[in-house]
Amino acid sequence: MAAVPQTDREKRKQISVREIAQVGDVVNLKKTFNRHLHYTIVKDRNVATPRDYFFALAHAVRDHLVGRWIRTQQYYYEKDPKRVYYLSLEFYMGRSLSNTMVNLGIQSACDEAMYQLGLDIEELEEIEEDAGLGNGGLGRLAACFLDSMATLGLAAYGYGLRYDYGIFTQKIRDGWQIEEPDDWLRYGNPWEKARPEYMLPVNFYGRVENMGDGKAKWVDTKVVFAMAYDSPVPGYGNNAVNTMRLWSAKAPNSFNLQFFNDGDYIQAVCDRNIAENISRVLYPNDNFFEGKELRLKQEYFLVAATLQDIIRRFKSSKFGCRDPVRTSFETFPEKVAIQLNDTHPSMAIPELMRILIDIEGIPWEKAWDITYNACAYTNHTVLPEALERWPVSVLEQVLPRHLGIIYEINSRFLQKVREKFPGQDDRVRRMSIVEESPVKAINMAYLCIASCHAVNGVAQIHSDIIKNETFKDFAEMFPDKFQNKTNGITPRRWLLLCNPGLSDVIADKIGDEWPTKLDQLRNLAPFVNDAGLIAAVQKVKQENKLKLADYIRTHYNVTVNPASMFDIQVKRIHEYKRQLMNCLHMIVLYNRLKRNPNMAFVPRTIMIGGKAAPGYHMAKRIIKLINNVARVVNNDPIIGDRLKIVYLENYRVSLAEKVIPAADLSEQISLAGTEASGTGNMKFMLNGALTIGTLDGANVEMREEMGPENIFIFGMTVDEVDALWKRGYKPMDFYQRNPELKQAIDQIQGGYFSPEDTCMFGDVVDNMLHHDRFCLMADFQSYVKCQDKVSEMYTDATAWTKMCILNVAASGKFSSDRTIAEYARDIWGVEPTLVKLPAPHETPFTEQKSEIEAPQLSEY
C-alpha cells in the first residue's frame, strides 16, 4: 500500500473532474488578480504578504460570482417562484475559496494562474479563516443545505447572525482545553457585502396596550437595528448563486437622553456597545440549553429582522420594484416557506402572528392559518437537557407581547386537544405549551409542533423516537404532521473538494456526473473485484494518510506510522458520544502490548478531535484524560509506533477536510437512541473509511444501504437499552465481570495516567461506575470484541479495500441534494430543477424562450 505523495505539479495534471484550464481563463485570472492586488489591496509584489495574495485571489474569484449572483436574483424576481427561507442560529460554513472555485468550475484555471505567478494555491487556501458560525452538526448541516438548495435551483435564502466571534479557538495546554476567542473578522471577510440600506429596527422590553379585538400595541420599547451582510452561495455548475443573509446588531444613532442631558457624552457612546452585544458571540453549547437573556435576544433578533425582510420581499414581487405589489396575505403560504432549524428560531411563530394581527390588521384565525401553513420545524435532538424551555419571567420582561400571543396559541390549542380527547385532563396538562413546573416556562418544541404544518426528524430511527416517545401525545393528535428527512452532506465539499484523488478514481470508472447525481456511485459496486480499482483506491488512501501524518508531525510534534490503521473519532465532546469508551479501549490496547510486547498487533494511530462547551466540566475532564493517556502511550519505548494517540486540537471544518479523507476507521459509537442522525458518519463513508458504530442515528440507514457485512456494528439496540434500564442497570456488575475493563478503570483511579495528581479523574471514574447514564460499561465488552474484529479484517488489505469501495458505492442516499429534494417536495411545495442559468457572458434569460423552461429533477 506504500505510495509517494504527489508533487503539486503532478496534482495539476489530475484534471478529469476538475475541467481543463483554458488559456484565456488563465490570462484573465492573472489580470484580475494583479488588478485586485493593486486597486483593492493597494500593494505591489514587492511588499505584498501571503495574506494579501489570498485576498487578491478571493476577490478575483468573487468577481466570477457577482454577475451570476445578480442574474440569479433577477431571475427569481422575474419568475416569482415560491421562496424558501432557512432560519438557523448557526451556519458552520468553513472556508469559501476552494468551494467557490469548485462550484464555478474555475479551480484548474486559478491553480494554473497562481502557478504562473509563482504562488502556491494550497498555501493561499490555508490562509483563509474558517467562518466558524456554528458549534457542530446542526450548523454544518445548514451549510450543506445551502449548497444543495443552490445546486437544485431553489429560490432559497439562509438567514442567520453575523457573530463577531464564532466558535472559540481550542488550545490544548498541558492536556487541558483552553478557549480563546475566534476573531475571524480581524482581517475582513472578502465574501460578504454589507447592506446598510436594509437596516431594520428590532424591539425589546416595553409594555403592551390592549386595543380590543385581539389587537395590541407594543410600546415604550428599546430599539436595536439589524444590518444585513450578504454572502453568495454558488450552486454547482448551474450558474445559480443564492444568498445567505446574516444580521449584525447596530445601536440606534439617538443617544440616551439622560446621559446626554447630564453631559456624559462619552458614557452615552460607550453604552452603544450594550445593544451591539446581541451579535457579538456564538453561544458555544451543543445539545445543551442555557436560558440566558442574551441568548433569547439573539433568537428574537434573528427572526424579527428576517420576517421584516421576508414580508418586504413578498410584497414587492417584481425585480426593481420597491413599491408594495401584494397587499393581501392570502397567498403568503403559497409564496413563502419558512423552515425552523431546531427551536432556536421558534420565536418566528409569535412574531409572524404579531405582525399579521397588530400591524397588518388581519383577524386571529386568518393570521393563524397563514402562520401555520408557512412554517415547518426540524427537531435535532431528544436529549432532555437540550430542549429549549424559556422561563415566563424572562419572556415577560424581554418580549411581553409575544408571551401574550403564546398564551393565546396555547389556550386555543388546548381547546382542540380537549375536543379530540374529551375527559383526558392528564393529556391536556402534558401537552400544554406552558409548563407549570419546576418553574413556569414555555416549551419551545411544543410551540413549534402545535404551530407548524410539518415536523421532521433527521434520521429514520430519530423520527420514530420523536413520534413514538418524545412527542407521542402530539403524534396522536397530528398523525400526518410528523415526517422523516434523513440528513445528508454535500458531495462537492466532502468528496470533490477534500479528496480530489478519490474523485478522479471514481470519475475514471463511472464518469463525472456523480457530484450532482450521487446515486450513480452505485455503478462502482460491479467493479469491486477490479484489481486496478482496488490498487487505485489503496494508493489514494495512502497518499492522504501520508499528507495527514505530515500535518500531525508539523502541528503536534508527534510522528505517526502511516502504515498503521488511522482510527478516528471527531465530533463535539459529549458524554453521549462516548469518547470515554474509545479512551478505555486505548488503555486496553496499551495494557495488552505491555503484557506481551511480542504479540501480533495491528498498528493503530487513534485520533480524537472535538471541542467541549466551556462550562461542561465532565467533557473537559475527558479531554484531559485522553491527553494524559496519550502522554503515557506515546512516550513508552516498549510501544514504539505500534500504538499512537493524537488529540486533534481545534477541530473545525478545514481540519475535517484533511482528516476525513485519510481515515481507515470511523468511530460512531454513541449510545443507541441518543444521536439524532450524525453527518460525520456519512462523510467518512463517502471517503472510503469503514465504520465501527452502534445502531444509532443514520448508522442504521448506512447499514441498510451497504449491507451488514460492510460495517462493524456493536452494542445494544434502543429496545435493549430500554430493557436494561427497566431491569435496573448496575454498571458495577460489568466492571467486576470484565478484567480488562477493571484494570483500565483502576489505572485511571489509581493515578497511573496522572501521577502528579492521583485524584484528578476521581469524578470521571465515579460517573462510570455509579452514574453511567450512557451505558459505557454495558456496551464495552461488545465494543472491544468488535474492535478486535476490525484489526483482524485490516490485515487483509484487499478484503478491507473491497469493503471501502462498497461503502463509497452505497453513499448515494446520503447526499444533501436528496435530503433537500425531499424537503422541497414534501414540506415546502416546490420542485427542484437542474436548469442551468445562462452565464454572465451568455444571452440573458429574458431573451431566451424555449430553453428557460427547466427540465425537472427526477434523480432525487
Side-chain angles (χ1 to χ4, degrees):
M1 279 177 81
V4 179
Q6 291 179 302
T7 66
D8 287 344
R9 198 71 190 131
E10 283 170 333
K11 275 190 207 125
R12 286 187 185 90
K13 291 175 187 168
Q14 285 191 325
I15 311 170
S16 55
V17 196
R18 296 177 160 218
E19 303 184 358
I20 295 167
Q22 302 295 324
V23 176
D25 295 342
V26 175
V27 171
N28 282 335
L29 271 163
K30 284 162 68 178
K31 278 185 189 165
T32 311
F33 174 87
N34 284 322
R35 182 168 54 78
H36 276 297
L37 190 63
H38 190 84
Y39 290 107
T40 309
I41 313 299
V42 195
K43 294 267 187 90
D44 64 26
R45 292 291 297 263
N46 296 314
V47 294
T49 65
R51 178 167 272 106
D52 296 327
Y53 294 138
F54 157 70
F55 273 100
L57 176 58
H59 280 102
V61 170
R62 183 172 175 265
D63 286 356
H64 284 256
L65 277 174
V66 170
R68 292 171 171 86
W69 198 2
I70 292 171
R71 277 279 187 94
T72 304
Q73 301 312 311
Q74 286 174 338
Y75 177 70
Y76 293 157
Y77 272 97
E78 197 66 35
K79 293 285 175 183
D80 193 27
K82 183 172 186 178
R83 288 173 166 85
V84 174
Y85 297 100
Y86 196 83
L87 275 61
S88 179
L89 226 57
E90 300 183 18
F91 285 98
Y92 204 167
M93 303 301 286
R95 292 171 174 163
S96 292
L97 177 59
S98 304
N99 187 68
T100 303
M101 294 189 298
V102 165
N103 280 12
L104 293 183
I106 59 170
Q107 195 174 27
S108 294
C110 291
D111 202 341
E112 186 59 32
M114 293 304 101
Y115 181 76
Q116 290 181 16
L117 290 167
L119 299 169
D120 183 339
I121 198 164
E122 283 190 25
E123 284 179 17
L124 299 186
E125 287 167 348
E126 284 298 310
I127 290 166
E128 184 173 7
E129 300 279 350
D130 277 51
L133 306 185
N135 277 283
L138 177 140
R140 184 52 234 172
L141 181 79
C144 283
F145 279 4
L146 291 185
D147 181 272
S148 286
M149 288 188 270
T151 299
L152 297 184
L154 300 180
Y157 303 76
Y159 275 95
L161 294 188
R162 181 183 179 269
Y163 301 105
D164 296 346
Y165 295 90
I167 183 64
F168 61 85
T169 300
Q170 179 193 54
K171 300 284 185 193
I172 302 295
R173 298 222 178 99
D174 191 28
W176 293 100
Q177 168 179 295
I178 305 293
E179 301 90 27
E180 293 183 354
D182 166 42
D183 193 2
W184 71 290
L185 291 168
R186 174 179 296 178
Y187 298 102
N189 175 5
W191 307 106
E192 69 182 10
K193 175 70 185 82
R195 302 285 192 194
E197 69 271 25
Y198 292 130
M199 198 94 84
L200 299 172
V202 176
N203 295 285
F204 294 99
Y205 306 111
R207 58 189 177 83
V208 177
E209 289 180 356
N210 288 308
M211 310 295 289
D213 294 336
K215 290 185 194 173
K217 263 189 182 171
W218 185 17
V219 295
D220 298 338
T221 57
K222 290 187 179 172
V223 178
V224 177
F225 283 97
M227 181 162 153
Y229 286 81
D230 289 351
S231 295
V233 181
Y236 178 76
N238 64 351
N239 294 319
V241 181
N242 283 348
T243 302
M244 175 178 69
R245 176 162 286 179
L246 303 181
W247 300 107
S248 182
K250 300 288 175 197
N253 276 330
S254 54
F255 280 150
N256 182 324
L257 282 177
Q258 178 64 49
F259 285 130
F260 190 75
N261 292 338
D262 291 347
D264 198 344
Y265 165 78
I266 299 297
Q267 186 60 48
V269 174
C270 290
D271 266 15
R272 293 168 58 83
N273 270 338
I274 296 167
E276 295 177 359
N277 279 340
I278 289 173
S279 58
R280 190 79 66 208
V281 62
L282 168 76
Y283 269 83
N285 296 318
D286 193 62
N287 279 299
F288 181 78
F289 170 60
E290 190 174 3
K292 295 276 172 50
E293 185 179 303
L294 178 59
R295 173 69 168 189
L296 177 62
K297 283 182 170 177
Q298 287 183 340
E299 294 183 356
Y300 178 66
F301 180 77
L302 164 62
V303 303
T306 300
L307 282 168
Q308 288 179 69
D309 218 30
I310 290 172
I311 287 167
R312 172 191 60 78
R313 199 177 283 115
F314 168 74
K315 285 182 171 180
S316 54
S317 59
K318 281 284 186 181
F319 178 73
C321 175
R322 303 290 296 176
D323 300 322
V325 173
R326 292 190 181 97
T327 49
S328 165
F329 278 81
E330 291 283 332
T331 59
F332 190 83
E334 293 158 34
K335 287 294 180 184
V336 172
I338 298 169
Q339 190 69 37
L340 308 177
N341 192 26
D342 216 332
T343 54
H344 312 143
S346 55
M347 290 307 294
I349 294 159
E351 173 65 4
L352 183 53
M353 290 293 288
R354 183 189 73 81
I355 292 169
L356 295 175
I357 294 166
D358 294 354
I359 297 171
E360 299 294 340
I362 294 171
W364 178 282
E365 287 75 11
K366 188 69 208 158
W368 176 254
D369 285 345
I370 292 166
T371 302
Y372 186 88
N373 290 308
C375 295
Y377 158 59
T378 301
N379 173 273
H380 281 278
T381 183
V382 294
L383 293 180
E385 64 267 37
L387 295 172
E388 289 196 301
R389 292 175 167 88
W390 282 108
V392 164
S393 56
V394 178
L395 279 169
E396 206 163 25
Q397 186 192 3
V398 181
L399 299 169
R401 175 62 180 133
H402 299 75
L403 180 62
I405 290 170
I406 292 168
Y407 280 155
E408 183 65 20
I409 289 172
N410 191 47
S411 168
R412 290 171 181 248
F413 170 65
L414 292 182
Q415 189 52 43
K416 285 181 184 166
V417 176
R418 288 187 192 97
E419 286 166 13
K420 184 154 186 174
F421 303 101
Q424 298 190 29
D425 290 346
D426 199 45
R427 178 189 289 268
V428 172
R429 182 191 53 75
R430 289 197 310 267
M431 292 179 74
S432 175
I433 295 164
V434 183
E435 297 180 343
E436 299 296 337
S437 64
V439 294
K440 194 169 183 180
I442 306 300
N443 185 315
M444 304 311 280
Y446 287 7
L447 174 65
C448 288
I449 297 168
S451 311
C452 294
H453 73 276
V455 175
N456 72 280
V458 290
Q460 191 61 58
I461 185 174
H462 169 238
S463 297
D464 291 343
I465 289 169
I466 65 173
K467 204 170 169 178
N468 302 326
E469 295 174 33
T470 318
F471 305 125
K472 186 170 186 281
D473 290 331
F474 289 86
E476 288 168 358
M477 174 99 181
F478 308 111
D480 299 331
K481 184 180 286 200
F482 286 78
Q483 304 184 18
N484 175 57
K485 296 286 171 276
T486 298
N487 281 344
I489 57 173
T490 168
R492 274 75 63 180
R493 184 178 291 267
W494 296 113
L495 184 51
L496 195 56
L497 182 157
C498 73
N499 202 342
L502 184 58
S503 298
D504 286 332
V505 168
I506 292 167
D508 283 347
K509 280 293 172 198
I510 66 168
D512 59 5
E513 289 186 348
W514 58 264
T516 53
K517 299 172 183 174
L518 204 64
D519 277 351
Q520 290 188 3
L521 290 182
R522 281 268 175 229
N523 299 333
L524 277 175
F527 296 104
V528 69
N529 295 312
D530 181 321
L533 178 62
I534 291 168
V537 169
Q538 288 175 340
K539 180 171 180 281
V540 165
K541 183 63 76 176
Q542 196 58 26
E543 284 172 354
N544 291 337
K545 288 172 72 173
L546 284 163
K547 205 169 175 183
L548 181 60
D550 188 52
Y551 181 90
I552 289 168
R553 186 169 53 253
T554 306
H555 289 81
Y556 306 120
N557 199 27
V558 178
T559 301
V560 302
N561 174 7
S564 65
M565 182 200 305
F566 279 17
D567 169 354
I568 301 179
Q569 185 179 18
V570 281
K571 49 186 79 245
R572 283 299 289 254
I573 309 298
H574 200 296
E575 287 162 278
Y576 85 86
K577 294 177 186 283
R578 303 203 293 194
Q579 285 93 349
L580 195 48
M581 189 156 71
N582 192 345
C583 185
L584 289 171
H585 179 245
M586 295 170 193
I587 298 170
V588 165
L589 292 179
Y590 171 72
N591 287 336
R592 286 178 182 177
L593 272 174
K594 289 289 277 185
R595 253 193 325 271
N596 182 5
N598 300 316
M599 71 183 285
F601 186 88
V602 177
R604 275 195 197 226
T605 299
I606 303 174
M607 303 178 209
I608 294 187
K611 297 174 181 178
Y616 191 170
H617 166 82
M618 186 56 65
K620 293 176 92 167
R621 288 269 152 180
I622 290 167
I623 291 174
K624 173 63 173 164
L625 175 60
I626 292 164
N627 281 300
N628 278 25
V629 172
R631 182 179 67 187
V632 171
V633 172
N634 295 349
N635 292 302
D636 192 320
I638 293 171
I639 305 301
D641 67 357
R642 290 181 293 174
L643 181 62
K644 280 280 190 276
I645 298 160
V646 180
Y647 198 93
L648 298 166
E649 180 183 78
N650 199 34
Y651 182 65
R652 58 203 184 279
V653 175
S654 57
L655 184 51
E657 291 164 8
K658 296 177 178 68
V659 168
I660 290 168
D664 291 308
L665 186 68
S666 156
E667 302 253 1
Q668 308 297 334
I669 58 178
S670 53
L671 176 67
T674 59
E675 187 74 87
S677 166
T679 48
N681 45 6
M682 302 168 187
K683 290 161 195 164
F684 282 105
M685 177 185 178
L686 182 61
N687 282 274
L690 301 188
T691 300
I692 181 167
T694 50
L695 286 173
D696 195 23
N699 296 355
V700 178
E701 288 159 80
M702 285 164 51
R703 180 173 177 255
E704 285 168 7
E705 293 295 306
M706 71 176 79
E709 67 281 3
N710 293 308
I711 187 169
F712 300 100
I713 294 292
F714 74 93
M716 297 177 287
T717 63
V718 171
D719 291 343
E720 287 166 346
V721 172
D722 289 344
L724 175 67
W725 284 108
K726 281 186 183 127
R727 281 199 309 274
Y729 173 42
K730 298 188 181 69
M732 205 66 161
D733 294 351
F734 293 88
Y735 163 79
Q736 299 288 4
R737 284 206 299 265
N738 186 331
E740 286 193 315
L741 174 60
K742 185 175 188 305
Q743 183 189 3
I745 290 176
D746 289 350
Q747 284 171 308
I748 296 168
Q749 190 160 31
Y752 186 90
F753 299 104
S754 55
E756 67 276 22
D757 178 2
T758 54
C759 301
M760 184 179 288
F761 302 113
D763 49 354
V764 177
V765 171
D766 184 60
N767 241 28
M768 284 193 283
L769 295 182
H770 304 292
H771 313 285
D772 185 16
R773 185 179 158 199
F774 299 108
C775 304
L776 259 76
M777 303 289 104
D779 268 351
F780 188 71
Q781 188 166 1
S782 171
Y783 177 56
V784 173
K785 273 188 184 166
C786 195
Q787 285 281 20
D788 292 343
K789 193 175 149 197
V790 169
S791 292
E792 188 187 335
M793 180 60 76
Y794 193 72
T795 58
D796 185 342
T798 302
W800 181 275
T801 308
K802 286 181 182 181
M803 287 174 73
C804 294
I805 291 166
L806 291 172
N807 265 257
V808 175
S811 298
K813 174 180 178 176
F814 303 107
S815 169
S816 48
D817 295 350
R818 186 266 318 150
T819 313
I820 287 300
E822 289 180 5
Y823 273 99
R825 293 187 177 121
D826 302 344
I827 296 178
W828 303 331
V830 292
E831 186 60 34
T833 78
L834 280 179
V835 66
K836 185 170 180 178
L837 294 178
H841 59 274
E842 294 171 351
T843 312
F845 62 84
T846 46
E847 295 168 27
Q848 294 186 345
K849 298 288 181 242
S850 57
E851 306 99 304
I852 203 61
E853 291 311 317
Q856 290 196 330
L857 181 67
S858 57
E859 280 77 8
Y860 293 103

